[in-house]
């Protein structure tokens, strides 16, 4: 499976360990990752590029997104360029996993109605499960995916339980359902 990874270059120094952990987690899932444009570049090296080099890079970026099976984004730090890449991927029907490690979810993406975008807060402990679940979704091996509305009170409780159990919210809910099913 080909995965396009993107993140903010401006925040690379602050989040490089997160970026590397995401890429390593994807590799453990036997994914081919396109990430050198983030891991191997700096903001200053991009500024030194000529107009032609930037246009060529944009063409390459479009090719990468066209050819990938899905996109994984580290979005803890806001970036207009990353937002553009997310929009481009969604426009092409690519599933997108938007990960953030702190604060609130990216405001324009958190409640997006498109089922092709998943926005999740992660920690070092929950990252593997989140990525594994997303890759299963992309491969079509997960049984089904659905979205439902909950009250703010339920959302707060779910967030608290997921944090205390150190699990993604979806995994916590799935375990509750499986526990209930085992009683039958």
């Amino acid at each position: 499976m080909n995965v396009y990874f993107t993140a903010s270059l401006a925040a690379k120094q602050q989040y490089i360990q997160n970026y590397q952990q995401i890429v390593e987690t994807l590799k453990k899932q036997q994914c081919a990752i396109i990430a050198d444009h983030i891991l191997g570049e700096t903001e200053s090296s991009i500024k030194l590029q000529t107009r032609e080099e930037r246009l060529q890079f944009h063409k390459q970026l479009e090719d990468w997104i066209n050819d990938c099976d899905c996109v994984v984004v580290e979005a803890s730090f806001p970036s207009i360029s990353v937002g553009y890449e997310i929009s481009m991927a969604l426009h092409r029907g690519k599933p997108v996993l938007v990960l953030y490690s702190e604060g609130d979810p990216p405001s324009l993406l958190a409640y997006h109605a498109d089922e092709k975008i998943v926005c999740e807060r992660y920690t070092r402990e929950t990252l593997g499960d989140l990525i594994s679940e997303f890759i299963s979704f992309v491969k079509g091996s997960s049984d089904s995916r659905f979205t439902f509305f909950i009250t703010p009170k339920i959302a707060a409780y779910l967030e608290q339980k997921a944090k205390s159990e150190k699990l993604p919210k979806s995994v916590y809910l799935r375990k509750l359902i499986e526990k209930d099913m085992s009683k039958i």
Side-chain angles (χ1 to χ4, degrees), residues 9 26 28 37 62 76 102 125 144:
L9 274 179
L26 286 163
K28 287 178 185 173
H37 62 292
E62 286 184 352
S76 297
E102 54 193 50
E125 294 78 27
S144 65

Side-chain angles (χ1 to χ4, degrees), residues 32-176:
I33 298 97
I34 301 160
D36 288 345
H37 62 292
I38 299 299
L39 299 179
E41 292 290 337
T42 63
E43 207 176 8
S44 57
S45 68
I46 301 292
K47 289 179 182 176
L48 294 175
Q49 291 180 346
T50 65
R51 180 179 186 278
E52 291 77 26
E53 289 170 326
R54 287 183 188 200
L55 290 173
Q56 180 59 37
F57 174 76
H58 187 270
K59 168 81 173 91
Q60 178 64 66
L61 184 142
E62 286 184 352
D63 290 345
W64 284 332
I65 291 176
N66 286 336
D67 295 340
C68 74
D69 296 302
C70 63
V71 175
V72 175
V73 179
E74 205 301 340
S76 297
F77 188 86
S79 168
I80 291 171
S81 296
V82 171
Y84 174 76
E85 291 169 281
I86 292 169
S87 177
M88 187 186 308
L90 290 173
H91 182 73
R92 287 163 172 75
K94 306 293 180 171
V96 178
L97 174 60
V98 178
L99 298 166
Y100 63 100
S101 62
E102 54 193 50
D104 293 324
S107 59
L108 295 177
L109 303 174
Y111 306 105
H112 200 277
D114 190 338
E115 71 174 22
K116 293 267 186 196
I117 189 165
V118 179
C119 192
E120 292 284 349
R121 185 176 184 153
Y122 74 98
T123 64
R124 291 192 173 281
E125 294 78 27
T126 63
L127 185 62
D129 286 340
L130 288 168
I131 288 179
S132 177
E133 188 175 305
F134 179 71
I135 296 301
S136 292
F137 167 69
V138 173
K139 287 180 178 176
S141 62
S142 59
D143 293 330
S144 65
R145 173 180 168 73
F146 69 97
T147 304
F148 64 100
F149 295 101
I150 56 177
T151 65
K153 185 176 179 180
I154 293 172
Y157 178 79
L158 181 58
E159 182 75 29
Q160 181 268 327
K161 287 302 285 182
K163 279 183 184 177
S164 70
E165 302 270 337
K166 295 184 179 174
L167 295 170
K169 293 175 280 203
S170 58
V171 173
Y172 175 75
L173 289 172
R174 189 177 315 104
K175 285 184 177 207
L176 286 177

